[in-house]
Amino acid sequence: MHVGWLGAQMYSAFLVGHCERDSVSGEGGLELVDLTVSYPEAPRPAVDSLDLVIEPGELVCLLGPSGCGKTTILKAIAGLLELAGGDVRMDGRSLVEVPTEKRSIGMVFQKPLLFPHLTVGENVAFGLRMRRLDPGFIRGRVTEMLGLVQLEGMEDRRVTEISGGQSQRVALARALVVEPALWLLDEPLSQLDANLREEMRELIRSIQKQLGVTTIFVTHDQEEAVVLADRIGLVLEGRLRQIGPPARLFEAPATVEVARFFGGHNQIPGKVDAGRFHCELGTFVLPQPVPPGPGILVIREEAVELAAGENSFAARVQNTRYMGTHQQITMSARGVVLGMRVSSSRSLPVGKIVDMCFPSDRIWIIPGLDG
Ligand code: ADP
Ligand code: MG
């Protein structure tokens, strides 16, 4: 087949798990052990000593800014890049010596990468045809898969005549038709407009739960990750910084970098002593026992309140900005600049002195840093 238009690497990636009948499959538990990938002449590894265990049937979102190594991680799992170190294991078995096409992986990219000369049905059927399965069986499977992605009855349409969203649905079906043990999606919604993106998110989530296929969904979009993921793994500069249920990354960030990434911009250095946090702004009662020592108090902008009483202090309104759904307020107190959100209808003139409060159950302390 002529593949020049697709590029050799994308072609082999698409074929992941599509060619061989004796591919590695099983429960679909995936383990990355000390995974390290380096590009020639790069000053540091693109992926650095990454450990990650994904349970069978789980949907993990790898989230991080552009260039942090997300695509490199997927390519390493698929066997499209050689490892500088570490291991990729499926159900306990190392895949390092297993060629890409035997790894039982279905991949979806940013672009649908459909075969333009084939119909919708032929595109979906491709992986099964390569396995030389019975034509009747293939027809049945294609109908089933098109139903799954809500493209019923579109078998005979030309892929050049369908919309971008429909093309990406075909790509989802094509990756899943071979029943891969692992589904890898690399920013598959980033080229779609906002409304369609939300709809496709829901579709992917429901297909994933229906099939129970172990899935890694890569994105740079925080909201997308929060909505989709069982667990989010935050990747910064080639390293996995924290992994956990979405709420944990928002409310209980492991480091100041994780906090900053998830919008925990209010970070105040200080010291924990006898269940209280002492800092420039005063003394704050903590919600639960925190070991004594230096730390950084983190509180989200939307958690800060305008109220007197416990954990409150006087602050001056420095700047207000109307944001539609709320107002973004910059406050200053004892030389510390803080952000908070208030209702868009509330009047807060610049220069006004108000009582600001950190509700104790919204305070998070990142320990171990010098205050
Ligand atoms: P992401 O998918 O998160 O945007 P990538 O995995 O594509 O990130 O890239 C991670 C890092 O590796 C980046 O610094 C990028 O510039 C570098 N990189 C990616 N591909 C190559 C390549 N083929 N050769 C050299 N460096 C690369
Ligand atoms: Mg990428």
Side-chain angles (χ1 to χ4, degrees), residues 39-40 42 44 46 64-73 75 186-187 218:
Y39 291 106
R44 56 181 179 81
S66 171
C68 73
K70 304 181 296 296
T71 295
T72 304
I73 295 167
K75 284 183 173 173
D186 193 358
E187 313 220 24
V218 156

Side-chain angles (χ1 to χ4, degrees), residues 266 281 304-306 313-320 328-342 346 348-358:
N266 292 321
L281 292 173
V304 177
E305 290 175 3
L306 291 176
F313 53 92
R316 181 178 174 278
V317 179
Q318 211 172 53
N319 189 34
T320 67
Q328 180 70 35
I329 313 289
T330 309
M331 296 282 203
S332 73
R334 297 186 191 168
V336 179
V337 175
L338 298 161
M340 73 175 296
R341 295 176 175 194
V342 300
R346 174 136 194 181
L348 271 183
V350 170
K352 188 173 179 175
I353 307 290
V354 293
D355 287 315
M356 260 180 108
C357 169
F358 291 173

Side-chain angles (χ1 to χ4, degrees), residues 22 28 39 54 58 73 173 182 197 226 234 275 298 305 311 329:
D22 58 343
Y39 291 106
I54 302 182
E58 195 180 16
I73 295 167
L182 187 62
R197 237 182 359 244
V226 168
L234 178 66
V298 180
E305 290 175 3
N311 285 359
I329 313 289

